[in-house]
Amino acid sequence: MNSSYTTLENSKNGILIPVKNRIYVCSKYDPVHEAEIFASQFEKKEKFFVVAGLCSGWHIEKLLTESFDRKIIIVENDIEDFKFLRQIPLCSKLLEDRRIIFSTPQSLFTDILSNYLPAIYGNLNFCFLRGWENAFFDKMQLIKTIVEKAIKTVKADFAVQSHFGKIWNKNIFENLKIASEQKNASQMIENLKKNNKVTAAIIAAGPTLDTTIEKLKKNPGKYFIISTDTAYSSLLRSKIVPDVVVSIDGQNISYSHFLHQAQKNKTIFAFDLCANSIPAKKISVQKNKILFFESGHPLSTIASHFNGTSFIHLNSGSGTVTIAATDLAFFLGFEKIEFFGADFAYLNGKPYAKGTYLDDIFYKKQNRLSTAEQSFCTLMYRTKLIYLEEKKITTEVLESYRFSLETYLKNPGKSISVEIKDFNFEIFNTFFKKKLLSLPENFTGELTNQFFYPLLPVMAFYEKTHSIQDSYKLARADCLRYTY
């Protein structure tokens, strides 16, 4: 067993404790008293903890006994350390506790994102025993950095849920009705896969698209074009009809991306179930093909796996349509991928390529006192800018998008063979309504029922002005309203 710990010893009061190179990771005199002092620094209302070090287990036991509904992620250097600590009876008992997630630095970021729900747990508390920090001082900075980055990511996601939670709910129900009218999605996917021997061109709407678009014009047979919704109108104005257009934006403004859409063409429109439903309605009426997908919203996921698999799953990173478009390319089996306009920066004073929906909006509204150029400047300077180099600037949000794409490309999606069944909204609606009605009228904090999770984004929306109990009731009522 290749553990970071070197031995087990008895403390002065006879409790078995781990040691690393003669450094005691918890009190060598009285670990239980140390655990009591450790737990006393937290109020009972604190529910979520990331603890560096399982140690002898007494500090974890104390956190759990003081408040039963707490959730704890324990980090050790390696899975072998947990195996070593199993020799301690209390640690062996804790390893079976369902309230605890056992993590390592390699999985910690994902474990926090998967388990920490701010709407339910409130603050995240990162803590450790001083002895463990002394023994693993070289690892502590890495763990702290991972926790800080994860908290920042979760907070950003929660802020998005607070803004979009109710909008997504509405969009999903409306898109599910449209999806019920779409047939033969599996055949559509198989037809798309027939093109995967060429290069997939992922088209974003960054400023460099103004020049690189010429490459698409000169090589019409070389690329299978997967466009983001923002770049769609730019391509059409250059007389380029993309093979697929991907949209994930839930806002009403996303309808502007499709104003110049042809009455009927070869393009397949891939919509996240969370995306704004107005373009989907228009495209459906025009008899164009729509391929709906889900990207992790709990309501979309439940709908997708109801009575089989009805929608493909695509990764959209931190809500980045470029990642969703890229993941679709990998899902379809493309091995060669090339990016156009994926700048994640403002270049030469330009936020976007020519021909996007912003051109229509800003130039139509301009006058002598408020020009389109002023509107573009307001857009760019609405948040703090980060200057990368001459004529190239970015923002924290754009940097997070770039980081998400780079992280995704280190471990991209793979081509998957899955039979997509036609979706029946009426049957699902009856089923989901029954499940919602079976949930308790008051929030109990119990998270084992999977049908509670679709309420979380809506609860985040209501928590801006309401208590968690009222947010739960409003979210449940909001979902029920769409099932009648």
Side-chain angles (χ1 to χ4, degrees), residues 21-58:
N21 299 330
R22 303 181 69 177
I23 300 175
Y24 295 87
V25 299
C26 52
S27 173
K28 66 178 180 179
Y29 297 100
D30 191 346
V32 177
H33 181 61
E34 179 189 43
E36 290 172 349
I37 295 172
F38 172 83
S40 68
Q41 65 185 303
F42 303 105
E43 296 181 26
K44 289 188 177 181
K45 67 178 183 179
E46 300 295 341
K47 301 299 182 186
F48 198 93
F49 296 82
V50 176
V51 182
L54 176 58
C55 304
S56 63
W58 287 101

Side-chain angles (χ1 to χ4, degrees), residues 39-300:
S40 68
Q41 65 185 303
F42 303 105
E43 296 181 26
K44 289 188 177 181
K45 67 178 183 179
E46 300 295 341
K47 301 299 182 186
F48 198 93
F49 296 82
V50 176
V51 182
L54 176 58
C55 304
S56 63
W58 287 101
H59 61 315
I60 305 298
E61 173 79 358
K62 194 65 179 174
L63 285 176
L64 292 173
T65 54
E66 289 200 350
S67 183
F68 181 79
D69 56 348
R70 281 174 168 168
K71 191 115 176 175
I72 301 176
I73 296 177
I74 301 175
V75 192
E76 285 285 352
N77 292 287
D78 193 89
I79 196 68
E80 295 297 329
D81 291 354
F82 287 116
K83 293 179 180 178
F84 179 88
L85 294 171
R86 189 180 282 275
Q87 299 173 79
I88 302 173
L90 178 58
C91 290
S92 181
K93 171 191 168 186
L94 292 172
L95 285 166
E96 305 300 324
D97 197 308
R98 295 179 64 182
R99 294 170 291 175
I100 302 174
I101 296 98
F102 300 95
S103 186
T104 65
Q106 290 72 34
S107 64
L108 179 57
F109 184 82
T110 302
D111 287 337
I112 294 174
L113 264 59
S114 300
N115 292 281
Y116 177 41
L117 305 171
I120 304 304
Y121 296 117
N123 296 328
L124 181 150
N125 300 280
F126 175 55
C127 48
F128 44 87
L129 294 178
R130 191 60 60 189
W132 198 92
E133 181 185 34
N134 293 335
F136 299 102
F137 187 78
D138 57 327
K139 299 290 185 181
M140 279 301 295
Q141 190 54 52
L142 171 62
I143 293 173
K144 288 178 181 177
T145 300
I146 294 170
V147 172
E148 288 170 359
K149 185 177 288 186
I151 290 174
K152 191 174 183 180
T153 302
V154 171
K155 283 184 176 179
D157 183 56
F158 184 71
V160 172
Q161 289 187 40
S162 296
H163 184 74
F164 289 107
K166 194 170 182 178
I167 298 172
W168 287 337
N169 206 45
K170 170 181 174 292
N171 288 338
I172 292 170
F173 277 105
E174 292 186 351
N175 281 326
L176 287 175
K177 291 177 184 177
I178 300 169
S180 195
E181 301 169 1
Q182 304 290 315
K183 306 299 180 184
N184 302 319
S186 277
Q187 187 59 53
M188 191 191 312
I189 292 168
E190 291 305 312
N191 290 339
L192 289 172
K193 285 184 176 181
K194 293 176 182 177
N195 301 283
N196 62 21
K197 301 304 178 186
V198 299
T199 300
I202 309 299
I203 315 298
T208 58
L209 183 61
D210 287 345
T211 53
T212 56
I213 201 169
E214 293 300 319
K215 189 175 181 181
L216 296 173
K217 290 181 180 178
K218 292 176 181 178
N219 300 277
K222 180 180 178 181
Y223 297 105
F224 181 86
I225 299 174
I226 303 177
S227 174
T228 62
D229 50 4
T230 318
Y232 181 40
S233 57
S234 295
L235 292 178
L236 291 184
R237 283 168 171 164
S238 295
K239 303 191 183 310
I240 298 173
V241 179
D243 297 284
V244 180
V245 176
V246 180
S247 184
I248 67 171
D249 191 358
Q251 302 176 95
N252 287 335
I253 192 65
S254 65
Y255 177 65
S256 303
H257 301 317
F258 302 93
L259 290 175
H260 300 284
Q261 180 219 333
Q263 185 66 24
K264 195 166 192 303
N265 56 43
K266 68 169 187 175
T267 303
I268 290 175
F269 297 86
F271 281 91
D272 192 323
L273 286 168
C274 292
N276 185 266
S277 59
I278 297 175
K281 288 177 183 176
K282 175 187 176 184
I283 290 164
S284 179
V285 167
Q286 294 174 343
K287 305 302 182 183
N288 282 308
K289 294 180 180 178
I290 303 176
L291 178 64
F292 283 102
F293 63 90
E294 57 90 7
S295 59
H297 189 289
L299 175 55
S300 296

Side-chain angles (χ1 to χ4, degrees), residues 345-470:
Y346 304 142
L347 304 176
N348 299 313
K350 293 189 61 178
Y352 286 101
K354 295 177 184 176
T356 68
Y357 74 106
L358 290 175
D359 282 357
D360 290 333
I361 294 173
F362 290 164
Y363 282 108
K364 284 179 181 178
K365 289 184 177 180
Q366 75 173 338
N367 54 49
R368 292 180 181 179
L369 298 178
S370 179
T371 65
E373 286 75 13
Q374 285 177 300
S375 297
F376 279 115
C377 286
T378 300
L379 173 68
M380 287 190 292
Y381 286 88
R382 70 191 187 276
T383 56
K384 185 179 179 181
L385 297 178
I386 301 170
Y387 291 83
L388 301 175
E389 56 189 69
E390 186 180 2
K391 297 183 178 181
K392 183 177 182 180
I393 55 180
T394 187
T395 66
E396 193 172 275
V397 173
L398 290 175
E399 278 293 281
S400 70
Y401 289 162
R402 178 189 60 78
F403 176 77
S404 291
L405 178 59
E406 290 176 352
T407 302
Y408 166 81
L409 289 173
K410 291 177 183 177
N411 186 28
K414 297 179 180 178
S415 179
I416 299 174
S417 295
V418 57
E419 182 182 354
I420 303 299
K421 296 185 177 181
D422 292 341
F423 182 76
N424 188 309
F425 178 76
E426 294 301 326
I427 296 176
F428 171 76
N429 194 48
T430 302
F431 161 81
F432 189 62
K433 177 182 175 181
K434 182 179 179 180
K435 293 298 182 181
L436 285 176
L437 289 171
S438 70
L439 293 174
E441 292 187 8
N442 294 307
F443 177 63
T444 61
E446 178 59 54
L447 304 180
T448 56
N449 191 327
Q450 65 168 318
F451 294 95
F452 169 77
Y453 286 90
L455 304 184
L456 289 177
V458 192
M459 285 177 65
F461 172 83
Y462 283 117
E463 277 195 50
K464 292 179 288 187
T465 53
H466 295 79
S467 68
I468 188 170
Q469 281 290 348
D470 288 342

